[in-house]
Amino acid sequence: MLSTVQCTAAFVGERKGVNKYYPPDYDPSKGSLNKWIGQHPLRDRARKIHKGILVIRFEMPYNIWCNGCNNHIGMGVRYNAEKSKVGNYYTTPIYKFRMKCHLCDNYFEIQTDPKNHDYVILEGARRKEQRWDPKENEQIVPEDKGTQKKLATDPMYKLEHGSDDQYRGKSSVPSIAQIEDMRDAWQDDYILNRLARNKFREEKKQIIAKSSSR
């Protein structure tokens, strides 16, 4: 059980972590403490705020190659990036991020692409292509926004679309012959070999027993 002194020390230590220091000459009528000191609440991160630039912690959205040192930079690597607004896609802001490579003196810029839900490299790097066509891999391809909107507003199109989906689902079901072919391809040869070896050992023991009894 903690003593009174230990409890008081813990309480004071916790308050130190969250409280701010107010100088004796601070006047609350002049505004917040940051305004009275003359600094931005984000401090050094807002040193270029007058240019519309804010320093943030940016995480690399995909694998890239740096054009300066040709080194690979993996997805998830974090940088202190200068964030600035460069336009709009309808009502969605488009942001640009400028950051320095941690392996050389090269800078690269990446911009958001709200239309395609992606990021675009403007300069200083190139994307490591690891994308593929879902149709080639027989994956489920989500409907685009135009199709989704038409499904929600056009009952006849929704009915036709559902019929097409049912037809494609039935055509993709494997037949009995295909299932048998797949079963033969996945047959476990190890079990068959083990049974054959066991049978061979038993016959060999019987032969040795007969020869020794003569």
Side-chain angles (χ1 to χ4, degrees):
M1 189 172 181
L2 296 176
S3 64
T4 305
V5 176
Q6 291 174 329
C7 291
T8 304
F11 178 73
V12 172
E14 183 182 356
R15 288 177 61 83
K16 282 184 178 180
V18 298
N19 283 1
K20 296 181 180 179
Y21 171 73
Y22 291 89
D25 55 346
Y26 168 65
D27 186 1
S29 62
K30 295 183 179 180
S32 65
L33 184 60
N34 287 317
K35 186 176 181 181
W36 184 80
I37 297 175
Q39 69 178 7
H40 195 276
L42 297 177
R43 307 214 176 167
D44 193 50
R45 292 174 52 197
R47 61 182 180 272
K48 296 183 180 180
I49 198 69
H50 60 285
K51 298 180 181 179
I53 298 174
L54 179 66
V55 179
I56 67 164
R57 197 67 173 162
F58 181 81
E59 185 173 314
M60 194 61 61
Y62 41 67
N63 297 314
I64 67 170
W65 297 98
C66 176
N67 288 345
C69 57
N70 291 323
N71 281 310
H72 173 261
I73 300 174
M75 179 178 64
V77 178
R78 296 182 177 181
Y79 292 94
N80 291 331
E82 296 181 352
K83 173 184 174 183
S84 58
K85 182 180 177 181
V86 294
N88 287 289
Y89 175 72
Y90 294 100
T91 59
T92 304
I94 299 176
Y95 293 105
K96 182 180 71 175
F97 306 93
R98 185 174 187 269
M99 63 211 81
K100 179 180 176 297
C101 178
H102 66 287
L103 300 172
C104 66
D105 294 331
N106 180 51
Y107 283 84
F108 36 83
E109 295 181 355
I110 298 178
Q111 181 175 297
T112 58
D113 184 10
K115 181 179 180 181
N116 300 311
H117 308 283
D118 202 356
Y119 288 84
V120 178
I121 299 176
L122 299 179
E123 63 178 25
R126 61 190 185 279
R127 183 169 183 169
K128 182 180 179 182
E129 292 296 338
Q130 293 178 307
R131 293 174 287 184
W132 61 85
D133 188 0
K135 294 181 180 179
E136 295 180 358
N137 295 339
E138 298 182 355
Q139 294 179 339
I140 298 175
V141 181
E143 304 290 353
D144 56 15
K145 291 186 176 180
T147 304
Q148 292 177 3
K149 185 177 180 180
K150 200 170 182 180
L151 286 171
T153 57
D154 192 342
M156 292 302 297
Y157 181 78
K158 183 178 181 180
L159 181 61
E160 294 174 357
H161 195 276
S163 301
D164 294 339
D165 290 342
Q166 291 178 1
Y167 174 76
R168 285 196 296 266
K170 291 179 180 179
S171 62
S172 63
V173 175
S175 62
I176 296 177
Q178 292 174 334
I179 294 175
E180 290 180 350
D181 293 340
M182 288 187 292
R183 185 181 62 183
D184 294 338
W186 295 339
Q187 192 171 11
D188 192 353
D189 294 335
Y190 172 77
I191 300 297
L192 298 177
N193 291 334
R194 189 178 68 177
L195 294 175
R197 289 195 302 271
N198 292 339
K199 185 177 180 181
F200 175 76
R201 291 191 185 99
E202 292 295 332
E203 293 177 352
K204 187 176 182 180
K205 288 179 182 180
Q206 292 177 3
I207 294 172
I208 294 174
K210 289 180 181 179
S211 61
S212 61
S213 61
R214 293 177 182 178

